[in-house]
Amino acid sequence: MEVEIEEQNDHERRGSETSDTSTPRWRSLFAFTTRPHLPPLALALILSVTSGVVSPVQSYLLGKVFDCFTNFGAGKYAGSELIDKVSRYTLGVTGLGVASGLLHTGYFALWLIFGELQAKCARDSLFDCMLEKDMEWYDMRKDGIEALILRLQTQIRELQMSTSQPLGFAIQSMVTALSGLGLAFYTAWDLTLITISTVPFAAVVLGMISSRMQPSIDAQAKELNNAAKLASNALQAIDVVKCFNGQDFETWQYAKAVNRAAKKYLIQAKANALQIGFVRFITLSMFVQGFWYGSHIVITGKKQPGQVLTAFWSCLSALQAAEQILPQILVLEKGRAAGATLKAVLTQMGKRRRAKATGDLTPEFCEGDIKVRNISFRYPSRPDQSALKHASFFFPAGETTFVIGSSGSGKSTLGNLLMRFYEPAVGEIVIDGHALQDIDVAWLRNNITLVQQQSILFNETIFKNIAFGRREWGKVTREEVKRSIDTAFLQTTISELPKGLDTTVGTGGNAMSGGQRQRVAIARARLRDTPILILDEATSALDHISKGMVMNAIREWRRGKTTIIITHDLSQIADDEFAYILDKGVVVQEGYRYALEKGNTGPLVASRRPSVNFPTTKRLPRLPEEVRKPSILSMSSGSRSSTISVCSHDSLDIQYHPRAQSVYVPGMFSLAKESPEMNRRSYFEPFVSPAATGAFAMHRMSGVPDIFTRPLNSSQSADGRAGSHGWPLLPRREQKEQDLGDWSLINEFHKFAHKPDRASVERGAVQGSRRQSEAIPLKTTRIEAGDLSLQALGSDKGEGSFRIAPINRILRTIWPRLTWKDRPLLIGGFFFAGVHAAATPIFSFVFSKLLATFFQPANREREALKWSLSVLAIGVGDAIACFFMHYLLEACGQVWVDSLRVESMKRIIDQPRTWFDQDKNSVSKLTECLDRNAEEMRNLLGRFAGFMFVVVIMLVLAIIWSLVVCWKLTLVGLAAAPFIYAVTRLYQAVSGKWEGRSNDAGTAAASIFTETFGNIRTVRALTLEGYLHEKYLRATQKAFDVGLSRSAYSGTFYGISDSGVLFATALIFYYGSIVAASKAFTVQNIITVFSMLLFSIANANAILAFIPQINSSCATATRLLRLANLPYKASHEHAGHVRLPALGTISFNNISLTYPSRPLGPVLNSINLRLEPHTSIALVGASGSGKSTIASLILGLYPPTSGMLTFDSLAISDLHLPSLRTLIAIIPQTPQIFATTIANNIAYAMPERSTLASQAAIEHAAEVAGIHTFITSLPRGYNTLIGEGGTGLSGGQAQRIAIARAVARQPMLMILDEVTSALDGESARGIRELVRKLRRQGVGVLMVTHDKEMMRACEEIVVLKDGRVAEKGEFEELVQRKGGELRRLMGKD
């Protein structure tokens, strides 16, 4: 088959999301412009060009009006003649106002529409292309797919913002500048040339300054991407962060990242401020040569004063138009960078992998006969490690086959290859005689169902999540869904829900337990009912009896259909079922279970040992043996021979015999075996230098700053003796303690905002030691945020109560967030803004003096030169003021939003666990708020606040000065102010309302984008691409429709507001002629008032252009301030202040708990339980019985709804939870891996100077967890990056790193929550041995498990049922108890 072949460039091999965007072209703004977009774009351009001519026409009319006043001042016109002529011109200005209103309405609305079109096209194009990318592309994203998704959404927003009103204003201003220059050349070409003689030099300087901006834009985007990844990782792993006291560490990491991004942005701000200041100087300096020469040609009679004024006013308006472009330059620069990046991503995604064929074969039937021949494969994220090595399998049609092996042995890889998520490097896969690469991918995935261990549910109802199993899910009936539910035994769970099948499961299915999610996934697979089913650890979260019932139901359902069960649980395999055993990607053993058990080696041989005693699975009658195809008994590489060579890959022609001896490679499951050296020491023997003396104190706290710059290879020399538990400690009651002092880092972000060094955050140092003989009250100082003045916004209400805060309330939050170091900069910024504001009235006064020289009888040239030089002085001062105003306010704005970012991050992580279960607080929404919303919010101070302050000061000065000079004309001019103010406020309100709706619609579309590609593997497996594509298109279309409405309303009120200024101008001119005719004031005074009021009104009118951006920034600021104003240290986690030196007895007294996000009734129902210290206890029960909830309560993640939980008779509400959590370590069922090195993952949130954080201690913890050998096999060892964008890990490998993380802390109580669900049998034995050693050393163990052997390793079993303790006792006692709950769970009754 012909395939498109294209070489991968270096960027794609490294997983780069961008191409070279260091010098993107301006056409990148139109990267997503298609043919249907051309009509609105063309019309927008026409209206922009036409509206750009309004200013030159206004200049022409002003020149004519000035001629009238000049002639009147020279005695050429009588008063009545002046009024008559000025009236005609003011009618022209009024007509121009009407035309301007219509033009501005049209072009403003059309540019908003064009921006919406660009955003919709970019969204749809990215969604389409990402749907087509293979899994390798997702694996190779260097920062992980979550960070990429967030960055793409931000760049879409930047592109939309730049291609709407900012681009329209820029084009209009360019047209205004060119038409103004054209009019100036037409009126007085020689004067125009002299006036603009400095423009070429200015263009060169501006180009040089602009060249510095783009690299910093790219660098800032990179740093913000890293900050978003850190925030996303922390929020996704919020349970681990809280349990390991990593809140301050995560906040500190995030603060460092945003600080690095801030430095890059300040480079942009400085360049932009230089541009604005330089243009301001050029604009005013042209008066020196211009007016001097203008006065000369008037004296010589070459031109009339009106012609000189027209030419000069046109030049001034042209340069002012160019100056108005500069505030939009930064927006446009980011827009073109975003357009270039998005286009580069699309271009990269459009490239096909070399030698990758796209099959189109769609067989009529699928029998399910699968042959895997000599397959080798390496994951793209681990190119130096083979996941499968020359492995061969045969899965006959209609049969159930098991694939077992240790974690990382390649089991799940087989499922991924069969689903064609990846292409094998060597070998082939054949289904029903057809090569896999020749088969149409859609047909393949509609005939194969993959159910994975991490069962992904979508934020829909239970009914729809199950119905997704059918391609035409919309036609699925409730009866069909109910039949599927019967297979998964979900009837009872669903019947207890208030809405039954119509209950929404929440983001990621967080309203259900892990076992319930797995059963929903199985029900979905049952409804799908494809010829081939792959179950990849699909029942690992179920209890023993539920697992057995579900497995029997699956066997009944799959009778006569091809089923592949990937597992490490040997108890699931019946005697007459076939199994392949994998080790390190190699098939080392194969055969029926009863035959494999008769061998001498192998995991199934070990299953016969009394210490393990796996039960024989009860199962339904098996299909007759003769159903198996006889032809497969003598296959070559894919044969099911019981003997296979591990080293040789040659074909074998061996006749199968059930009694043939199996060959097993020793040590294939030996990751947790002890070395002789380990046998000679305790599992937790302290790693200290034998030469050191004295004792060291273990740092047991969260938030000590010295943990955050721990070198990976640091090993501290300290000595200590092991206590009674084998820990490197003094006895507990004599242990040195470290105070949990508050961190100045979080409350005072400014301490490291400019210098993020260790000295700025080391306030949590060890305070010394003291002997502990009783519970110690801990004094803490509450960290209070500055008054945000937004209490209503800080309330954590539903989204329906969301309203945009007014800008004045938002700006009042600036001062409290700044440090004493930054506050002078803010004062300086507004001081220079005041200087800049005063420059305009002063310039207006000097300008009027220049105009007056035209009708002075003598000394015209000397007076013109004097006032021209005065303008030059004003220009120098104004340019300096402009630079410092913009730069200082941008710098303060950056500190402001970064402070709010860090404050928000701190408060988000501090929220109680239930807060994160709410849909509005999903990870994607929170990270978007911290990233994009903060970037837009900065503009309120950096771009808009200073400008509004300038306008206010300018208007006040101009009005006062005008009242002094000519109070009558000034009062008439002010009469138009209420109309202009009312229209502007109405425009702001309408724009703000629709801006909020538009943001909400865009956020909804972004959520679908995140849900789709964050769960892309499940989407592919269920072939939900079509459904989610349609859902996303509906969301983007809704966002576009809202954008159209926004365009219509905002455009209309913008046009009305803009025309109001021209109406006011006409009124001022007309009444000025009446005042001049009455001779109550001199012509010079009237011209002075004209200049001041018109310049001030023109500057005030420029605010209209920013109102949509101001409203957008206010909307995003409101969202960020909601997070920054969340309650801090106000939850149950901070209620207590007593610090325990030891755990003591843990007692549950009538404890009940109902999860707010799970409408399943109480999870725990008046439970009474007593957990003695130093004992190992197993919590057992059916899925959803409350086992993991007990662990969460002990760690203080949730407060009990009723009852009392005590530690040594002290209520948990009185205890200091951070210090309590240092005594406990949890290994969750779903391991959380952070995007950092393996060493940092194991030593997560531990003090750097603690011996427990040394490299030797980290390696020892890894040895205990059975992961050390794997880590050392990696090229970079413990420095290998894992997590988002790093080396991929199997579920078992990730679980063992989580085990090492807990072991490294040497806790007093170890909580293991289904830790063996992702581990193979041998690794599980290692965990059981760990439990026994912990027990011998006096370390308490609380084991949440379904595994029989894990129960056997514990001293006491507590069986839960319906949220209550059903029974408790020793394992052998309970399992023999007739009618007992444990016996029932074990399937004995």
Side-chain angles (χ1 to χ4, degrees), residues 254-286:
Y254 181 74
K256 281 209 310 180
V258 297
N259 180 62
R260 289 193 297 268
K263 291 180 179 178
K264 303 302 181 183
Y265 180 77
L266 290 181
I267 296 174
Q268 306 168 39
K270 184 179 293 184
N272 192 240
L274 277 172
Q275 287 180 324
I276 293 173
F278 185 72
V279 169
R280 189 68 179 170
F281 171 73
I282 292 297
T283 302
L284 296 181
S285 65
M286 71 179 189

Side-chain angles (χ1 to χ4, degrees), residues 1150-1300:
N1150 294 315
I1151 292 288
S1152 295
L1153 176 67
T1154 300
Y1155 288 118
S1157 64
R1158 300 183 188 178
L1160 306 176
V1163 181
L1164 295 180
N1165 190 4
S1166 300
I1167 191 171
N1168 288 283
L1169 180 63
R1170 185 181 177 89
L1171 307 178
E1172 297 294 342
H1174 318 312
T1175 59
S1176 55
I1177 300 171
L1179 293 177
V1180 182
S1183 300
S1185 62
K1187 304 182 300 297
S1188 297
T1189 301
I1190 289 179
S1192 297
L1193 286 174
I1194 292 174
L1195 285 159
L1197 292 177
Y1198 297 92
T1201 306
S1202 63
M1204 181 175 290
L1205 173 62
T1206 63
F1207 292 76
D1208 252 356
S1209 302
L1210 290 171
I1212 191 172
S1213 58
D1214 295 329
L1215 299 181
H1216 186 248
L1217 279 184
S1219 61
L1220 175 66
R1221 288 169 179 167
T1222 61
L1223 306 177
I1224 306 170
I1226 186 171
I1227 307 169
Q1229 180 178 1
T1230 303
Q1232 296 289 348
I1233 300 300
F1234 296 93
T1236 183
T1237 64
I1238 293 176
N1240 284 339
N1241 265 281
I1242 295 175
Y1244 176 74
M1246 284 205 297
E1248 174 194 357
R1249 289 191 289 269
S1250 170
T1251 306
L1252 302 182
S1254 68
Q1255 186 67 19
I1258 291 171
E1259 292 180 7
H1260 181 58
E1263 288 177 3
V1264 172
I1267 192 69
H1268 176 71
T1269 303
F1270 167 75
I1271 296 173
T1272 54
S1273 70
L1274 298 172
R1276 299 191 62 192
Y1278 283 85
N1279 292 335
T1280 302
L1281 289 173
I1282 55 177
E1284 281 281 351
T1287 298
L1289 300 175
S1290 70
Q1293 290 162 347
Q1295 186 66 278
R1296 285 197 290 259
I1297 286 180
I1299 293 170

Side-chain angles (χ1 to χ4, degrees), residues 489-497 512 516 519 1160 1183:
F489 294 93
L490 271 170
Q491 307 95 321
T492 303
T493 299
I494 293 177
S495 65
E496 293 174 350
L497 297 172
M512 310 189 83
Q516 290 163 347
R519 283 189 281 178
L1160 306 176
S1183 300

Side-chain angles (χ1 to χ4, degrees), residues 681-893:
R681 67 187 183 196
S682 160
Y683 260 45
F684 296 117
E685 182 179 337
F687 288 85
V688 295
S689 171
T693 59
F696 67 90
M698 184 172 72
H699 299 259
R700 289 195 174 279
M701 60 161 296
S702 155
V704 279
D706 59 6
I707 69 178
F708 300 126
T709 55
R710 180 184 61 77
L712 285 176
N713 296 316
S714 64
S715 179
Q716 189 164 337
S717 294
D719 193 12
R721 64 179 188 272
S724 60
H725 307 148
W727 306 113
L729 299 170
L730 295 171
R732 281 286 174 187
R733 303 282 179 176
E734 301 178 3
Q735 175 187 336
K736 293 183 180 180
E737 294 289 341
Q738 180 168 347
D739 289 337
L740 278 162
D742 288 317
W743 241 24
S744 62
L745 161 68
I746 309 304
N747 188 39
E748 301 180 52
F749 166 66
H750 62 275
K751 296 290 186 184
F752 58 88
H754 304 290
K755 295 180 180 179
D757 51 52
R758 293 178 55 82
S760 62
V761 294
E762 290 190 351
R763 279 184 50 184
V766 179
Q767 302 294 323
S769 63
R770 57 183 175 185
R771 298 176 65 87
Q772 305 271 358
S773 59
E774 58 184 4
I776 302 166
L778 177 69
K779 294 182 179 180
T780 59
T781 303
R782 290 282 298 275
I783 300 176
E784 300 293 345
D787 181 14
L788 296 177
S789 303
L790 283 164
Q791 299 302 321
L793 296 176
S795 61
D796 200 23
K797 299 178 181 178
E799 291 203 8
S801 63
F802 176 81
R803 60 185 178 84
I804 299 177
I807 188 172
N808 61 322
R809 292 179 63 192
I810 295 173
L811 294 178
R812 284 206 299 269
T813 67
I814 297 173
W815 186 259
R817 303 309 315 165
L818 299 182
T819 70
W820 289 106
K821 176 182 176 181
D822 298 313
R823 287 175 181 176
L825 300 182
L826 180 67
I827 295 172
F830 280 104
F831 168 77
F832 285 110
V835 173
H836 174 54
T840 298
I842 295 173
F843 167 75
S844 301
F845 172 76
V846 175
F847 185 68
S848 65
K849 292 294 185 180
L850 278 170
L851 296 179
T853 60
F854 289 135
F855 50 84
Q856 284 183 355
N859 299 323
R860 288 186 180 180
E861 291 189 30
R862 186 169 62 84
E863 287 295 310
L865 180 60
K866 180 181 76 174
W867 292 113
S868 295
L869 291 175
S870 299
V871 170
L872 180 63
I874 295 171
V876 172
D878 197 18
I880 295 173
C882 276
F883 169 77
F884 283 106
M885 176 189 78
H886 284 91
Y887 179 68
L888 292 178
L889 292 182
E890 286 280 15
C892 290

Side-chain angles (χ1 to χ4, degrees), residues 190-210:
D190 49 350
L191 174 62
T192 303
L193 283 176
I194 291 175
T195 301
I196 65 171
S197 58
T198 55
V199 170
F201 168 74
V204 173
V205 174
L206 291 175
M208 293 174 61
I209 297 174
S210 182

Side-chain angles (χ1 to χ4, degrees), residues 342-388:
L342 292 172
K343 197 65 177 179
V345 171
L346 285 176
T347 302
Q348 182 200 96
M349 287 193 292
K351 298 177 181 179
R352 297 183 183 271
R353 294 250 339 142
R354 183 166 38 183
K356 179 179 177 181
T358 55
D360 55 6
L361 181 64
T362 56
E364 187 174 356
F365 302 105
C366 178
E367 294 183 6
D369 196 79
I370 304 174
K371 299 175 184 177
V372 180
R373 298 171 177 164
N374 203 33
I375 283 292
S376 292
F377 175 73
R378 297 183 180 189
Y379 283 100
S381 59
R382 287 179 284 172
D384 53 338
Q385 285 188 316
S386 294
L388 287 175

Side-chain angles (χ1 to χ4, degrees), residues 19 100 267 356 449 527 585 711 717 823 998 1005 1034 1038 1077 1097 1103 1116 1155 1173 1199 1256 1334:
S19 63
S100 175
I267 296 174
K356 179 179 177 181
T449 297
L527 179 69
S717 294
R823 287 175 181 176
S998 181
R1034 287 195 301 270
K1038 180 180 179 182
I1097 290 173
I1103 291 181
T1116 55
Y1155 288 118
L1334 290 172

